[in-house]
Tab-separated table of all heavy atoms in Angstrom:
chain	number	residue	atom	x	y	z
A	32	VAL	N	117.928	111.293	69.892
A	32	VAL	CA	118.831	111.639	70.999
A	32	VAL	C	119.700	112.824	70.570
A	32	VAL	O	120.216	112.831	69.451
A	32	VAL	CB	119.754	110.447	71.358
A	32	VAL	CG1	120.734	110.831	72.442
A	32	VAL	CG2	118.948	109.251	71.778
A	33	GLY	N	119.883	113.785	71.469
A	33	GLY	CA	120.757	114.912	71.160
A	33	GLY	C	122.213	114.498	71.139
A	33	GLY	O	122.910	114.674	70.141
A	34	THR	N	122.701	113.921	72.237
A	34	THR	CA	124.066	113.379	72.302
A	34	THR	C	124.023	112.011	72.973
A	34	THR	O	123.203	111.760	73.855
A	34	THR	CB	125.022	114.290	73.103
A	34	THR	OG1	124.533	114.444	74.434
A	34	THR	CG2	125.166	115.646	72.444
A	35	MET	N	124.951	111.154	72.551
A	35	MET	CA	125.037	109.823	73.137
A	35	MET	C	126.507	109.461	73.274
A	35	MET	O	127.262	109.532	72.308
A	35	MET	CB	124.311	108.800	72.276
A	35	MET	CG	124.146	107.448	72.919
A	35	MET	SD	122.940	106.443	72.012
A	35	MET	CE	122.483	105.269	73.278
A	36	GLN	N	126.918	109.083	74.476
A	36	GLN	CA	128.306	108.707	74.747
A	36	GLN	C	128.367	107.235	75.142
A	36	GLN	O	127.699	106.828	76.076
A	36	GLN	CB	128.886	109.585	75.865
A	36	GLN	CG	128.844	111.072	75.560
A	36	GLN	CD	129.596	111.443	74.294
A	36	GLN	OE1	130.612	110.847	73.958
A	36	GLN	NE2	129.096	112.435	73.573
A	37	GLU	N	129.171	106.479	74.400
A	37	GLU	CA	129.341	105.045	74.673
A	37	GLU	C	128.008	104.312	74.655
A	37	GLU	O	127.744	103.447	75.483
A	37	GLU	CB	130.027	104.830	76.026
A	37	GLU	CG	131.329	105.572	76.203
A	37	GLU	CD	132.371	105.225	75.152
A	37	GLU	OE1	132.388	104.089	74.664
A	37	GLU	OE2	133.173	106.119	74.811
A	38	GLY	N	127.151	104.639	73.698
A	38	GLY	CA	125.842	104.012	73.625
A	38	GLY	C	125.626	103.213	72.358
A	38	GLY	O	126.416	103.276	71.420
A	39	VAL	N	124.520	102.458	72.353
A	39	VAL	CA	124.157	101.612	71.217
A	39	VAL	C	122.696	101.874	70.860
A	39	VAL	O	121.825	101.907	71.735
A	39	VAL	CB	124.340	100.114	71.552
A	39	VAL	CG1	123.904	99.244	70.388
A	39	VAL	CG2	125.779	99.828	71.935
A	40	ILE	N	122.432	102.068	69.568
A	40	ILE	CA	121.068	102.242	69.067
A	40	ILE	C	120.821	101.192	67.996
A	40	ILE	O	121.591	101.078	67.038
A	40	ILE	CB	120.854	103.644	68.468
A	40	ILE	CG1	121.045	104.716	69.532
A	40	ILE	CG2	119.469	103.752	67.841
A	40	ILE	CD1	121.003	106.143	68.995
A	41	THR	N	119.761	100.405	68.151
A	41	THR	CA	119.412	99.395	67.157
A	41	THR	C	117.938	99.453	66.812
A	41	THR	O	117.096	99.755	67.665
A	41	THR	CB	119.740	97.973	67.657
A	41	THR	OG1	119.092	97.747	68.909
A	41	THR	CG2	121.235	97.771	67.821
A	42	ASN	N	117.638	99.162	65.557
A	42	ASN	CA	116.266	99.056	65.069
A	42	ASN	C	115.386	100.210	65.544
A	42	ASN	O	114.300	100.022	66.068
A	42	ASN	CB	115.656	97.722	65.513
A	42	ASN	CG	114.373	97.410	64.765
A	42	ASN	OD1	114.246	97.730	63.593
A	42	ASN	ND2	113.418	96.809	65.461
A	43	SER	N	115.871	101.439	65.353
A	43	SER	CA	115.154	102.622	65.831
A	43	SER	C	115.028	103.657	64.718
A	43	SER	O	115.751	103.597	63.716
A	43	SER	CB	115.867	103.228	67.036
A	43	SER	OG	115.868	102.308	68.115
A	44	SER	N	114.102	104.603	64.897
A	44	SER	CA	113.880	105.595	63.851
A	44	SER	C	113.356	106.902	64.413
A	44	SER	O	112.862	106.968	65.537
A	44	SER	CB	112.891	105.055	62.812
A	44	SER	OG	111.609	104.884	63.398
A	45	ALA	N	113.471	107.949	63.585
A	45	ALA	CA	112.909	109.259	63.905
A	45	ALA	C	112.404	109.875	62.619
A	45	ALA	O	113.059	109.780	61.575
A	45	ALA	CB	113.970	110.153	64.546
A	46	THR	N	111.226	110.493	62.678
A	46	THR	CA	110.614	111.030	61.461
A	46	THR	C	110.363	112.537	61.501
A	46	THR	O	109.960	113.111	60.504
A	46	THR	CB	109.279	110.312	61.161
A	46	THR	OG1	108.422	110.454	62.295
A	46	THR	CG2	109.512	108.834	60.883
A	47	GLY	N	110.592	113.181	62.613
A	47	GLY	CA	110.347	114.621	62.712
A	47	GLY	C	111.524	115.453	62.244
A	47	GLY	O	112.648	114.969	62.124
A	48	SER	N	111.258	116.734	61.985
A	48	SER	CA	112.333	117.647	61.593
A	48	SER	C	113.206	117.983	62.802
A	48	SER	O	112.752	117.939	63.938
A	48	SER	CB	111.754	118.931	60.999
A	48	SER	OG	110.951	119.597	61.953
A	49	VAL	N	114.467	118.318	62.531
A	49	VAL	CA	115.436	118.616	63.596
A	49	VAL	C	116.171	119.900	63.253
A	49	VAL	O	116.649	120.063	62.130
A	49	VAL	CB	116.456	117.469	63.749
A	49	VAL	CG1	117.492	117.810	64.808
A	49	VAL	CG2	115.753	116.161	64.094
Side-chain angles (χ1 to χ4, degrees):
V32 177
T34 59
M35 190 166 201
Q36 302 301 326
E37 307 302 329
V39 178
I40 298 174
T41 55
N42 194 35
S43 297
S44 66
T46 57
S48 61
V49 177

